[in-house]
Amino acid sequence: MAWSDPDSFATKAFGPYISTIIIATLVAFLLPTLVHFYLYRAKAPTSLPSFLVLGPSGSGKTSLVTLFESGKPSPTHISQAPSTVQVHLPSTTRAGSSQYRSENDPTLKQEKPLQLIDTPGHGKLRHYAREYLQDPPPGLKGIIFVIDAANVSSDSSSSANETLQDAAEYLHDILLLLQKRYTSAKTSKGPKELPVLIAANKLDLFTALPAPLLKGKLEQEISRVRDARAKGLMAAGMGEEGSEERDWLGEGGESKFEFRMMEEVNCPVKVVGGNVLGAEGSDVDGWWGWIAGWL
Ligand SMILES: Nc1nc2c(ncn2[C@@H]2O[C@H](COP(=O)(O)OP(=O)(O)OP(=O)(O)O)[C@@H](O)[C@H]2O)c(=O)[nH]1
Ligand SMILES: [Mg+2]
């Protein structure tokens, strides 16, 4: 059959036939829709923004995560393995990326989803947290380090000091890992900013240290851990050259460690107080506010 025959495909495609009109209408409407979905899928992030929750055992990490997940705290046990839960930023807290949106924008009413990765805090199980930091999940936005502020009070009872020492050692190691992430980066700009929130928990208890005091104590104790580690390395005959520079947290020299030094390695640290449990309910607004600022 020649293309010019009345029955040929070419004649039908240009003629006033009902089938031609239906096919043309379908293509006209479906093609842009399919292209939109293809492009939208390609652009949409595949992973949720996530925050890694770390801290010594008993500081209240699991309590915090379950409170954020279900809106009410529930009894917890010592965690043995990490767990990831999906939570939603309350619609009353505005994400940093939405701060210029209009009050009337309906997307503000939607609760933003995010992930919290709860890790065990027992000394022997901290490798899980370190593994997450060495090979961060794609959507990792920040780190929440939970500390029991009621057990590090300023009196000199030995158990209180042990808790502070343990927390400071753990925090020192984590901050050192973050510093190495920056110093060993291949690009001159360094890796993406990774903020750290130190959540001073259990402020409902009267023995608890307020956040600014806890910050000072932690800086002091971290300086001590750092000096002790350096002395240990020297005694072992290492650290004089090369390795000492890499394993020294913060700026070089004898000065005291301060959290603001971490800004130089793209890890701004903030200490914010709150409580998950308590007779007068929980107070977690400060922590939500910090999370929202990085979304
Ligand atoms: N008073 C008070 N107690 C709290 C608060 N948050 C947590 N707790 C208690 O602290 C204890 C330990 O809490 P968890 O959440 O299990 O601690 P964790 O950090 O997950 O500990 P690991 O899983 O061992 O790392 C529990 O008995 C909680 O009830 C708080 O804000 N105030
Ligand atoms: Mg736990």
Side-chain angles (χ1 to χ4, degrees), residues 18-282:
I18 189 76
S19 55
T20 311
I21 294 169
I22 291 174
I23 291 172
T25 315
L26 282 179
V27 169
F29 282 99
L30 283 182
L31 195 65
T33 318
L34 291 177
V35 169
H36 165 82
F37 278 112
Y38 172 75
L39 291 179
Y40 179 76
R41 276 190 154 226
K43 282 265 158 119
T46 46
S47 54
L48 282 179
S50 53
F51 290 83
L52 189 60
V53 185
L54 319 172
S57 185
S59 56
K61 297 178 294 299
T62 310
S63 310
L64 172 81
V65 169
T66 48
L67 172 71
F68 278 10
E69 186 188 14
S70 62
K72 53 185 188 320
S74 47
T76 56
H77 303 283
I78 288 186
S79 308
Q80 311 263 356
S83 71
T84 303
V85 297
Q86 188 173 334
V87 304
H88 288 90
L89 188 71
S91 51
T92 46
T93 316
R94 197 185 265 212
S97 56
S98 307
Q99 57 179 320
Y100 300 114
R101 281 184 196 269
S102 149
E103 284 294 335
N104 305 318
D105 189 333
T107 54
L108 279 184
K109 303 274 182 309
Q110 292 165 1
E111 296 185 327
K112 260 183 177 288
L114 58 127
Q115 271 180 345
L116 292 179
I117 307 168
D118 179 22
T119 58
H122 188 277
K124 290 191 176 149
L125 300 170
R126 290 182 188 167
H127 59 92
Y128 287 116
R130 276 186 224 114
E131 282 157 17
Y132 272 113
L133 277 183
Q134 272 149 1
D135 183 19
L140 188 65
K141 293 275 179 197
I143 289 162
I144 303 175
F145 193 94
V146 186
I147 291 190
D148 176 354
N151 213 357
V152 291
S153 52
S154 30
D155 68 32
S156 52
S157 80
S158 62
S159 102
N161 282 335
E162 250 170 54
T163 317
L164 177 64
Q165 210 177 333
D166 179 46
E169 275 178 16
Y170 192 10
L171 189 53
H172 170 274
D173 294 350
I174 295 298
L175 295 181
L176 193 59
L177 264 181
L178 293 176
Q179 178 175 303
K180 281 185 186 163
R181 181 189 82 109
Y182 183 85
T183 49
S184 62
K186 307 255 180 329
T187 58
S188 59
K189 214 166 126 244
K192 191 167 105 262
E193 199 166 38
L194 194 56
V196 179
L197 168 72
I198 298 180
N201 189 24
K202 308 200 188 179
L203 291 196
D204 57 303
L205 302 175
F206 79 99
T207 50
L209 223 51
L213 278 183
L214 178 71
K215 179 170 178 257
K217 285 229 152 226
L218 278 172
E219 286 178 335
Q220 202 179 357
E221 198 60 36
I222 288 178
S223 305
R224 213 178 319 199
V225 172
R226 181 181 69 171
D227 296 348
R229 294 273 166 90
K231 281 201 192 105
L233 278 179
M234 296 268 235
M238 305 150 62
E240 281 290 357
E241 297 124 34
S243 70
E244 185 194 30
E245 207 181 358
R246 267 188 282 123
D247 288 344
W248 183 264
L249 182 63
E251 292 158 3
E254 296 300 302
S255 63
K256 186 175 150 244
F257 171 77
E258 287 175 40
F259 287 128
R260 59 159 188 80
M261 293 173 182
M262 292 303 294
E263 280 167 26
E264 307 230 330
V265 293
N266 259 357
C267 293
V269 180
K270 197 156 180 216
V271 188
V272 181
N275 56 278
V276 176
L277 306 176
E280 289 164 25
S282 57

